[in-house]
Amino acid sequence: MSKRSDQLFAFLVEIAENIAQATETFQRELEQGGDFGALASRMKTYEDKGDELISKLISLLNNTYITPLEREDYVMLATTLDDIIDGIHACSVRFTLYDVTGSTPTMIEFAKDIHRSAKEIQEAIHKLNERKLLQIRDHVKELNVLEKHGDQLLHAALRSLFAESKDAIELIKLKEIYEILESVTDRCEDVADVLESVILKNA
């Protein structure tokens, strides 16, 4: 295996680790009810780092003749991973745009699920780096479970919002934030789908 091929996997590992760190920070800040303006700034920093790593991966991919995985698999993994961090950054920006002053239990529950998903992805990418392809399936299954929980959480939250909210503007704000958070769990499942495809092609 060439050094360039090893570096392709190393970039994927770094991208996954960056997402795990971002989602951990996101969860912690929501639990602590911190400064949402500062949170948006931190998420932008993680997003920029992810973009830089993906750019380096694509550049290396374009200059590597033979790759262990199909080129499209590297690109799909990179772009679906990028969608996760884009989603939590978009959510953190909404907090500031909508002048959200505190976290709700639903936000915190979503943040926990997203961080759990990011950890599953991180472990799966490490196993991909170690060429332990069949062991990745356990993480794929868990990501599917977490995505289904995200669907259930959104439905329950929206039912509660429409049944109990007396403020239409507040309802609209929270509804959009919850839907963005649920979409991030979908993006995590997208990564799981790409990993499953990689397993089928290479195991």
Side-chain angles (χ1 to χ4, degrees), residues 135-159:
Q135 293 182 25
I136 294 172
R137 282 218 165 97
D138 290 337
H139 303 294
V140 168
K141 290 176 184 176
E142 187 59 27
L143 286 165
N144 290 332
V145 169
L146 288 164
E147 190 278 333
K148 287 182 175 61
H149 184 254
D151 287 342
Q152 295 165 357
L153 185 57
L154 178 63
H155 294 158
L158 293 182
R159 279 197 300 270

Side-chain angles (χ1 to χ4, degrees), residues 56-87:
K56 288 180 179 179
L57 184 149
I58 299 299
S59 178
L60 180 61
L61 191 61
N62 290 335
N63 288 287
T64 304
Y65 183 64
I66 298 175
T67 59
L69 306 178
E70 291 183 13
R71 292 172 185 275
E72 65 182 33
D73 291 329
Y74 288 104
V75 174
M76 284 299 295
L77 277 171
T79 55
T80 52
L81 287 165
D82 190 50
D83 287 341
I84 297 170
I85 208 159
D86 286 348

Side-chain angles (χ1 to χ4, degrees), residues 33-34 48 52 80 85 93 95 113 148 203:
D48 289 344
E52 180 182 353
T80 52
I85 208 159
V93 169
F95 292 150
D113 277 359
K148 287 182 175 61

